[in-house]
Amino acid sequence: MNIDLSTLITAFAVACTLSVLFTPISIKVAHLIGAIDVPKDDRRMHTKAMPRFGGLAIFVGTMATLCVFAGSNKDILPVIVGGALIYALGVADDLLCLNAKLKFVLQTAIAVLMYYMGLRIKFIANYFGEGHIYFADAACFIITVLWIVGITNTINLVDGLDGLAAGVAAIASLSIAYVAYIHGTQNGMMIVCLAMLAVAGSCIGFLPFNFYPAKTFMGDSGSLFLGFMMATLSVVGPLKRSTMVAVVIPVLVLGIPIFDTAFAILRRIVNRRPIMEADKGHLHHRLMQSGYGQRRAVLMLYGICAIMGMAAVLISRELYKDSFVLAAIAAVYLYVFLTDPNHKMPRIKAVNIAEEERKASKLEKQKEKAQSCDEK
């Protein structure tokens, strides 16, 4: 299939439209099947019960678009199969609240299946010389499985504020899609561009219903599906043939969720807590504790993700110094946002001067009356 610019735009539009149409349906389905997120602890940012089945809209938008525009592509077929399986796992978790260890085992099984279906990380670019650094079979297996399972869970872990996971996934997808488009002609990466645009379109179509104040959540079915699509599409055959984008680009684009996941694991090890245990130490939680509201915290993280996405684009063009500057800027912003736990955002409130004067006058009269009574 010949993939030109009009095909890419059409695929993006189809995915976005399907997501917009299916999100209201997912809200109704959530109430029917009991996929409702009830705030049971102080780790949750919402205060009322919310439907959490929005992953249905993201799944339908992405998968329907892939099946129509790329279903016959041998590199995309494993992604479609694995995406359906990981989505089913997420649905089961949304309905049954599966044990964390069981979810990890099932995710690993799906990753192993992807390996045997031909989706493998066989090498990385050799940035210290020419060519590639190839992995032995055992290393290839371990790295592929760890990559898929790890990236699958990164989006899930940042899904803590309204619109955060969908926005981060959209920015990351658009960044990788742009990289694939830039090098599409030379390296046969247009299929990756199309697939990433399908993911981005589905996220953007869902975002109006999920941005603060959210009407619905994507649930584990949506976050696990998005993480899996990022993990697998970033290393499918055409994309990994480019020495400039072998693994490094996805790591940069997903810098925030990867950093947050790594920091969460380290934090729990240091505190001698189970690695899979949830806590309130994530980046978005720390921003909220510093006094930023959900909307501001999410927009801050969007900005950092966009900076990292542009850094990834510059890396793909071998502009390493420029990319380093952008990554450094992102690191500085993280430091500023997160290193002062006593910082509170100023609360700016409009004041009705006439009303305030009236209240002050009334209070003064009450004081005079009380003083007069005391004198009598």
Side-chain angles (χ1 to χ4, degrees), residues 292-314:
Y292 301 98
Q294 285 207 48
R295 191 187 299 269
R296 289 182 178 87
V298 168
L299 290 175
M300 288 175 183
L301 293 174
Y302 282 0
I304 296 175
C305 289
I307 291 173
M308 296 301 291
M310 287 306 301
V313 173
L314 293 176

Side-chain angles (χ1 to χ4, degrees), residues 86 100 103-112 114 121 141-157 224 227-228 231-232 261 276:
I86 206 74
K103 283 195 296 182
F104 179 77
V105 170
L106 294 175
Q107 289 169 9
T108 302
I110 294 172
V112 171
M114 294 299 96
I121 302 176
F141 174 80
I142 294 172
I143 291 172
T144 300
V145 172
L146 288 177
W147 171 263
I148 294 175
V149 174
I151 300 300
T152 294
N153 284 284
T154 56
I155 302 298
N156 187 35
L157 288 176
L224 290 177
F228 179 85
T232 53
T261 302
M276 304 299 289

Side-chain angles (χ1 to χ4, degrees), residues 76 165 262 272 328:
I76 297 298
R272 297 181 179 180

